[in-house]
Amino acid sequence: MEHDNKEAAITSKPLKKKMKREKQLKEEVPIPEPTQCHYYVKQKHRFCNKQQAPNSNYCHTHLHLQDTANNNNNEITKESSSEQQNQTTENDKQKRVPCPIDPSHTVYEHRLKKHIKICNKSKSQQQMKQQAYYMKNINYNFLNEKSTILDNNEYLDLNLNELWNNQKEYFTNLILKIKNLYENLKLNEFIETNIKESFNFSLSFNNEDFQEKHHRQHCSFLCNLKETNCLSKDYDYIEFGSGKATLSYFVRRALLDKEQLEIIEKVKNNNEITNKQEEEIINEIKEIKEEEQSKQQFILIDRENQRRKVDNYIRYGKIMHHKKYNDELKVPLVKVNRLMIDIGDLKLSKVNDINNEGRKSISISKHLCGIATDLTLACLKEYNEDFNNEKNKGIFIALCCHHKCNWKGYINRSFFEENGFNAFDFRVMTLLTSFATCDFEKLSKLKEEEGLNNNKKEEEKKEEYIGLTNDEKESIGFMCKRLIDYGRILFLQSLNQYKKVKLMYYCNRDITPENCMLIALQENN
């Protein structure tokens, strides 16, 4: 019973958040404080907390929005020409514009040229371009038939409701075509299920380490690695779209041996270590063979820079972070190499130490949005070919965010073309995939509990949106997702680099509706 209650609590949290956002949108917009910035943060349903800049309604970060506000509003007061001139010159000096390299921050317009030379984003990009593994658009070119730019905006303004109202016959035929293809391929029988949400870690986790929802996903992920003989110190691990690298951290924790665990526990359980205890721990660390410390490596790939806190957990075994111990205690147990690069520009075989004494690698990922999955498969294809198809032993990718896929970036367009689908059809399918993650049933139950389901006629109209009931929408959404994934499976099978390629449900839908994993293995395990 406790387990069921926990599951219910886990699944209801995101839905309650969604309901809270809906409530907030209906509520009136709050009024900012007299000295508070007027930039409204929609996601947080509040105004920016920073103070206003002089002679502006916005803070220095959002000062570039002042001009648009002035243009949209009529002039309330008229000033003399001399005063107006003085004010415009002052405003020009204070005017901020988004940085052209990284629009997430702004800079004074008169300092823009100087800023471009010293911008941190610019420096990191220049450093990346100097690396041997950087080859611009190498994987984009493979996907897009040697075109240097992908059109991510194709049919961007397409609206399902408008399509239903204007082209009902087309929409009905497309739904029928999707259902027929899914049934003819017998994808329900093709997709396997292996759900094991408990993993016997030698070292227990603190409750504060990770949310239970993610913990159970990671545990099931590890069970699938272990059962296919892909969880071993004999392999290097490459995590695509790593973010904080939490998945790699779980893999590392699963691989810790008894000697390392004992050392970690001793350091962890002694906040104040005496000199004698410190010497004992140092001696025990030195007893671990240097060969074991340096052989295995984790390669973490992500476009954005991270705090790298988890990187140190992987490197040292969750010790030595924010603790002032002797430097001799900081002996890395494995190598960690973080690459800050777009997967589309990555030539993996050029990474330093990638051919580490002929060691094989396992490619893993838990959050590759849309086209990033296709870029990863293109990247691994080249990687295998560069090492005579003997380097990458397996691929384990938890698939997600199919709504971010696009036709030109999809890796197996011929699969859909052969079955009568074109670019427009594919775009509609990507929009339909969103229905698979809406969880209509639980949302309506929560609304009933909260007393928000008073207007039944309005709810019935919403249910009949685009001519489909909630159950039909959810079913079609899942069909579209699996068809997109099946095209990727066919691509991997066509390479003859992997003996076994499959789709597998690795965790319950109650934990996450994005519960399908792509697995490719060089050996039939």
Side-chain angles (χ1 to χ4, degrees), residues 433-465:
T433 59
S434 299
F435 290 138
T437 56
C438 287
D439 219 341
F440 296 107
E441 185 180 347
K442 287 176 182 173
L443 187 60
S444 61
K445 283 181 182 178
L446 280 169
K447 282 185 176 181
E448 284 176 11
E449 289 173 10
E450 297 287 335
L452 297 174
N453 231 1
N454 296 329
N455 195 340
K456 290 184 179 179
K457 289 183 180 179
E458 199 173 308
E459 288 299 318
E460 285 173 7
K461 283 182 183 178
K462 285 183 181 177
E463 190 170 325
E464 292 297 332
Y465 171 71

Side-chain angles (χ1 to χ4, degrees), residues 39 53 69-70 124 140 151 168 201 216 276 309 312 319 352 389 418 439 446 469 490 504 520:
Y39 176 72
N70 290 339
S124 62
Y140 284 111
D151 183 10
K168 288 185 181 179
F201 286 97
R216 289 166 67 179
K276 285 186 178 180
K309 180 179 177 181
N312 287 333
I319 60 173
N352 290 338
N389 297 337
E418 289 167 5
D439 219 341
L446 280 169
T469 64
L490 293 179
M504 178 176 286

Side-chain angles (χ1 to χ4, degrees), residues 209-221:
D209 280 349
F210 299 101
Q211 292 180 7
E212 186 182 355
K213 172 184 172 181
H214 297 293
H215 180 81
R216 289 166 67 179
Q217 288 179 59
H218 289 133
C219 286
S220 189
F221 200 108

